[in-house]
Amino acid sequence: MSVRTTRAARPLRRGLLGVAGLAGFLAGWQLVPALGLVDPQYLPYVTDVLARLSEQLVDLAFWRRLGATMTSWAIGLSVATCAAVVLGTVVGLAPPLRRATHTTVEFLRPVPSVALIPLAVLMFGIQRQAALVIIVYASFWQVFVQVIYGVADVDAVARDTARSFGLTRRERLTHLVLPTALPYLMTGLRLAAAVALILAVTAEMVIGNPGLGRMIELSRSAGDAVGLYALVVVTGLLGLTVNLVFRFVERRALSWHQSVRGEETG
Amino acid sequence: MPDRTLLRVEHLRKVYESTTGGVEAIGDVSFTMAAGELVCVVGPSGCGKTTLLKCLAGLLRPTGGVVEMDGAPVTGPSPAMAVVFQEYGRSLYPWLTVRGNVELPLRHKKLSRAQRRRLVDDALDAVGLAHAAPSHPWQLSGGMQQRVAIARAVAYQPEVLIMDEPFAAVDAQTRADLEDLVRELHASRRMSIVFVTHDIDESVYLGQRVIVLSSSPTRVQEDLAIDLPPERDQIGTRALPRFTHLRTHVYGEIQRARRGRAIAPRPAP
Amino acid sequence: MPDRTLLRVEHLRKVYESTTGGVEAIGDVSFTMAAGELVCVVGPSGCGKTTLLKCLAGLLRPTGGVVEMDGAPVTGPSPAMAVVFQEYGRSLYPWLTVRGNVELPLRHKKLSRAQRRRLVDDALDAVGLAHAAPSHPWQLSGGMQQRVAIARAVAYQPEVLIMDEPFAAVDAQTRADLEDLVRELHASRRMSIVFVTHDIDESVYLGQRVIVLSSSPTRVQEDLAIDLPPERDQIGTRALPRFTHLRTHVYGEIQRARRGRAIAPRPAP
Amino acid sequence: GCTDSDASAPSEQTSGDLRKVRVAALPITETAALWGGIKAGLFAERGLQVEVLPAQGGAQAIPALLNGDIDFAIGQPFGAFRADLSNLGVVIIGNYASSYADGDDINAVVASAKSGIRRPADLAGRRVSVNSLGAAGDVTIMAAVERDGGDPSKIKFVEVAFPDAPAQLAAGNIDAAWVPEPFVTQLRSRGDTFVVAPYQAVVPGLTTLTTITTADRTEKDAKLVEDFSAAMKRTLEWAGDPANETAVRQAIKDNLQLPPPVADSVRLPAFGWQVDRSSLQRLAELAQKYQVLDRQPDLDRLVRQR
Amino acid sequence: MTTHPGRIATTPRRRGVGPRIAAGLGHALGLPTLLLVAWGLAATRATNRFLPGPAAILDAFVDTWVGPAFVEDVLPSLYRLGLGVAASIVLGVAAGAVIGLTPWLRELLEPLLEFLRAVPPPVLIPVVMLLLGITDTMKVVVIASGAVWPILLNTVEGVRATDSVMTETARSFRVSRWQRLRFLVLPAASPRIMTGVRQALSVALILMVISEMFASSAGLGYRIAYFQRNYLIAEMWSGILLLGGVGVLLAVAFGLVERRVLRWYHGIREVHRA
Ligand SMILES: Nc1ncnc2c1ncn2[C@@H]1O[C@H](COP(=O)(O)OP(=O)(O)OP(=O)(O)O)[C@@H](O)[C@H]1O
Ligand SMILES: Nc1ncnc2c1ncn2[C@@H]1O[C@H](COP(=O)(O)OP(=O)(O)OP(=O)(O)O)[C@@H](O)[C@H]1O
Ligand SMILES: [Mg+2]
Ligand SMILES: [Mg+2]
């Protein structure tokens, strides 16, 4: 019956709407230079940018650089996430620890990663590790804060239940605290993924190790606006892809959660 | 009758502190309970039954007085105890299936997979939810959720079982079945049970003792031994004149508990 | 007896879709209800009572069949209707006080501040919670929370009141008081009331009609007119032989409804 | 089909006897001399295998230099001045590129047509962009304005990266921009006004890029510094030879992915290894005069050319 | 029916104000002091030009920031920061609530937002500059464009996660759209929103710095970049120290607001085994 079709139609509709949103944006962009709001020399036409992009897509060198950037991104994000989940859980579960570390955390969080680049270079030279330090530092806090809040969000009755049945600390952690914090963690991850991507690119721009960021910097210093925006579009598309993956994971991991199931029955 | 004292509650007092001032939920409650007993607790709404249970279970720290279990003060939840919460909906974990919820507390018992499975299946069967095992709690009706919470406590096979209005959301017939299940757990496994209910007939039918709490300040208004024969059944026992007599007595006590409060109202804070 | 048809339910069917397959909560239910009637709905746990109420209230879209109110199909919640949910704890907003919770739905009625205040005070008084107005819901006991939910519906002064096991968590005496409150709202304000309960005595005592639902597939097993005198009181009415007769009849019907299920068990979805 | 634009890049010669050297340089057209020299095998002749690392200026290169991650860096003299003032132990071992004493210079201040600015003195009270404040750009502009009779303290300097400057100039966010080639040509061709070439006007033939390393390395590894110096000297001579211009421009195309017309038309600086102490001295004096530096670097310590 | 008299309200035991403040300060300053001492000790043993000891940085701090620089560089930066944060809260919560409540809108915008979110601000700034000029507005826009994401995302997720029974309650009582927003959706999402705001505060500080690294000639961020380029390492760290200090102050202020907004939320948790 209609059950199947509606279920199959939903992702399709979602996809179509999303594409429509993007298309609207691109059309708006095309209009800005077309209407003369900005000289096309500085903000080129979308059509030109996409044409350049399609040229890049068949260039192996482009993929190699993309690979370099994504490798930094993936390593940095994983390290930051693991550290943040562990530390965030520990700190979030122990109120005294939370109070004691509060000032230090708040002090360290706003330190801009770009200001740490010289230090990173001093420690690791002009290499990927220097970029990784920056990526990990910036994305760590995104997950950390979310985990701290998420871990504290455990329902009072649910916690009493776990305690009364004598669940061990570890069981409580895996079966109660982490599922409760999972929606927060997913948001933190999505935030961190974007931040890590931004910093992977920025670090390459500033430090100069190979990758998309260096290509952006090269296009920039050559005054090649079309090439520059083609690469900007690539970073945007990367962010989009990463988000699609996280959404997919979320829909499976959080199928029980109101935010996901609400849409199934609503 | 078993004699070893299981629970000793003395001058228990509990005040909920909050930034806006304290609320005294329990004034001064004392009683003891022997191992293997089935005690029902009744009392007006808001008199502190849930609070009392939480203190017994070691989930709340009393403001004053003593709660002792097996001679040692209760400082935290004991592994020999299981609780069925009044807010059954929130005590089930939405991320686990019904089976997962029931199985969860068994994980840290040293049981084989097959044993665990059998315990879960038996418990779900006993509450009539064998078919719902793969569902999630939020896919169940209120009464079904409540029965999952009961199944979880049953599967856990505790020595002490604490139940807070566990049958509030189920229909009359299911309720009767579950009452018999509780009696049967008590009789066959020698489980000690504390059972809070609002149904006076239920308290008399189930209990070996009924404790009536008064409110404001919460005290033990009456501690009544139920001298009905240990073998009970839904039709026969409820038809006994003694049963009617006892239930009328309890009813009167609750009335008194409520009236007493109404007569001597304390000024609002 | 009022004659205008308020609700018309015809061949109502509701299937909950989920990724693991559909669950048929209601099979085929048809009945009508006149304006100003007080109808009680009873049935085994999980038979679809809550689902039915949500369809009546316009909160769920039926999978099949028709729900009409005042001759027009129900497409969404009507402003003339108030609902007391079975999951009372989750239907109260923890960030509002008790007063705030009761007052919230009144905000879009054109009322002066003083009128609103009076309505809230009256409603809280009626459920015996006048003193709890400044507390937050999570500072209340389960029964008190449920009474807040009732007070909210009462203060709203709806034409149609839908209540889903509203007295499950309160003690016997309070329950009796609230039952009389419902009858009195029905009589004095000519409110139409749909009332789901598990207590068979309560359904007979309250209702002008009792609808018994069967489960699997959910149908109307019995639609019983309660021919007790309109003036009822807790002691006298319940002592009438007709009362006993009716309650025995309803009890038997529920037994049949359940047996039907036991004989032909539904395969798990 | 697929292409691989990296394939045309110079494959680095690998040979067991060559000593590995890491050099940081800005990814700008001037670095073409170095790239070209490497490709031409001028470093291999001296037993060096050079790896060029793109660094965004001294802030990144000098830490890497100090911790030994890189051996040499090519950068603006101000980076070396400041490092010297902070006692970082950095030394200049040679020149790299200079501006022209006459003819078209490699950079200039260009004003937008609508600003009405014609001469350096007009810059007073206007917004002028430089790529980095507190460096050769603003110092020489201030000197040029003062020399033309304007008040240098009235100029409002704004930091705008070179590539962004034309757009900002067109948008009217700034009145004039100090930019290098190819932007000077680009702006002039669209009708903006050439105001002054501040280097040429103030210190003709000013050093723009120098080769630096640490004092420590000159002492502990004199052999390396000597070999590298010799190879650099040879490379810069090679690059300055008009006969090799095509090779140099090819290096730009290979390494910067500039569109060929741009790569063929950019103006290259004057390459040369000989440090022009007097021009550095003059720059440092001006910097102190305009309070960009509060002291003068110790050129005796800083310049260590063999 | 009988009314229930109120329960005894005992005045809560209050510790004296003095000890409470002392305990608070102890928690706030204990670990930082410890770290500072450790760092100081480490600095005396091995000196590194790029990691000076706390004494040197403190000296530089006093020299650099105490005086007119505070008025010229720090205050304008903080002003822009304030505007940026306010703009991102308003925008993030408003847009987040609308997007969270409207599935089709979310489906329409989500890819676009994810796309924009991934664009690094350093490449974005020149474009914003082109459209808005080298003005304070430009910097505020840059700050808001980065800080809005944590708030937006958290609001969307918080709004989506509103308990179904609570939503049905509001619907059944025909609570109007606005009131539903004000009394249900926003409070229900407020724990998430506050998480987002907390994150946004530090992101905004970072972007304040980044926005001043372009087309600026004053400001805290400009100073830090300037010091860094000029190897005034102690001064640079003193700028970062100031930044951290601002971060801590913001967190304290935020904590006060949060305690008010989420009083109910913390109240629910407060009871348990103090
Ligand atoms: N969200 C849901 N998703 C899937 N199935 C559901 C959902 N809600 C209810 N059901 C199923 O629908 C059936 C009827 O549920 P409903 O809540 O209407 O029962 P009920 O008559 O109110 O029971 P109770 O008396 O126990 O409250 C049950 O079998 C239940 O498992
Ligand atoms: N978290 C809390 N904070 C403040 N007061 C509370 C809290 N929990 C309960 N109380 C108060 O304590 C008293 C006793 O509550 P309790 O839940 O123990 O009652 P109860 O006997 O279980 O009632 P019911 O039968 O309605 O469930 C009530 O007056 C209630 O308002
Ligand atoms: Mg209770
Ligand atoms: Mg129900």
Side-chain angles (χ1 to χ4, degrees), chain E:
Chain E
M1 87 190 274
T2 49
T3 54
H4 293 232
R7 301 218 150 234
I8 292 176
T10 53
T11 38
R13 276 176 302 120
R14 283 203 189 280
R15 271 189 286 165
V17 176
R20 256 193 310 153
I21 290 180
L25 277 181
H27 278 304
L29 301 180
L31 186 61
T33 315
L34 218 67
L35 290 177
L36 213 64
V37 170
W39 177 22
L41 287 179
T44 52
R45 291 164 125 254
T47 43
N48 180 327
R49 294 203 169 283
F50 287 83
L51 253 187
I57 292 178
L58 211 67
D59 271 353
F61 187 90
V62 174
D63 290 346
T64 316
W65 302 111
V66 178
F70 188 78
V71 180
E72 283 161 26
D73 288 322
V74 182
L75 285 187
S77 293
L78 292 183
Y79 169 72
R80 291 190 289 262
L81 176 74
L83 283 184
V85 168
S88 43
I89 291 177
V90 171
L91 200 73
V93 172
V98 173
I99 293 175
L101 286 174
T102 329
W104 67 266
L105 194 63
R106 184 166 61 252
E107 283 158 16
L108 184 73
L109 291 183
E110 192 177 292
L112 176 58
L113 293 178
E114 295 303 328
F115 179 91
L116 294 178
R117 212 153 62 81
V119 176
V123 264
L124 209 67
I125 288 177
V127 182
V128 180
M129 231 155 73
L130 270 186
L131 297 172
L132 296 173
I134 303 174
T135 52
D136 272 5
T137 321
M138 178 282 269
K139 296 190 180 93
V140 172
V141 166
V142 169
I143 293 173
S145 73
V148 76
W149 300 115
I151 304 178
L152 184 76
L153 242 61
N154 272 290
T155 310
V156 168
E157 297 304 317
V159 165
R160 285 174 65 193
T162 310
D163 188 280
S164 57
V165 179
M166 293 188 185
T167 317
E168 283 176 352
T169 306
R171 287 182 58 204
S172 74
F173 282 104
R174 301 279 299 183
V175 175
S176 69
R177 210 164 253 284
W178 274 114
Q179 287 183 345
R180 224 186 294 172
L181 200 66
R182 160 135 191 259
F183 290 105
L184 170 63
V185 173
L186 291 183
S190 56
R192 298 289 311 252
I193 296 177
M194 291 321 259
T195 318
V197 173
R198 162 148 296 192
Q199 263 171 306
L201 286 180
S202 58
V203 172
L205 261 177
I206 291 173
L207 277 156
M208 177 193 88
V209 172
I210 291 183
S211 73
E212 288 171 355
M213 288 181 170
F214 296 81
S216 254
S217 45
L220 182 51
Y222 167 77
R223 287 278 153 216
I224 291 177
Y226 177 88
F227 292 143
Q228 182 188 333
R229 273 204 304 258
N230 292 311
Y231 314 109
L232 300 170
I233 300 304
E235 282 80 357
M236 178 191 93
W237 283 108
S238 81
I240 290 178
L241 191 77
L242 182 61
L243 215 54
V246 173
V248 171
L249 283 184
L250 279 179
V252 169
F254 171 79
L256 294 178
V257 174
E258 189 197 56
R259 201 143 358 126
R260 275 205 75 80
V261 173
L262 295 187
R263 193 155 40 181
W264 61 273
Y265 184 77
H266 296 306
I268 295 176
R269 278 153 184 75
E270 170 175 84
V271 164
H272 286 265
R273 294 181 78 82

Side-chain angles (χ1 to χ4, degrees), chain A residues 42 60 64-65 122 126 222, chain D residues 3-4 6 67 69 163 190 258:
Chain A
Y42 310 126
L60 277 181
R64 214 171 290 131
R65 282 163 198 149
L122 190 70
I126 301 178
Chain D
T3 57
D4 187 349
D6 277 357
N67 80 347
D69 182 48
R190 82 175 182 203
L258 281 189

Side-chain angles (χ1 to χ4, degrees), chain B residues 15-19 22-25 46-47 58-61 75 215 218 258 261 266 269, chain E residues 1-14 263 267-268 270-274:
Chain B
V15 178
Y16 286 105
E17 296 289 359
S18 77
T19 37
V23 176
E24 191 192 54
C47 74
L59 292 169
L60 275 182
R61 188 170 299 155
T75 53
S215 63
T218 308
R258 279 170 53 91
R261 188 183 45 182
R266 236 153 348 139
Chain E
M1 87 190 274
T2 49
T3 54
H4 293 232
R7 301 218 150 234
I8 292 176
T10 53
T11 38
R13 276 176 302 120
R14 283 203 189 280
R263 193 155 40 181
I268 295 176
E270 170 175 84
V271 164
H272 286 265
R273 294 181 78 82

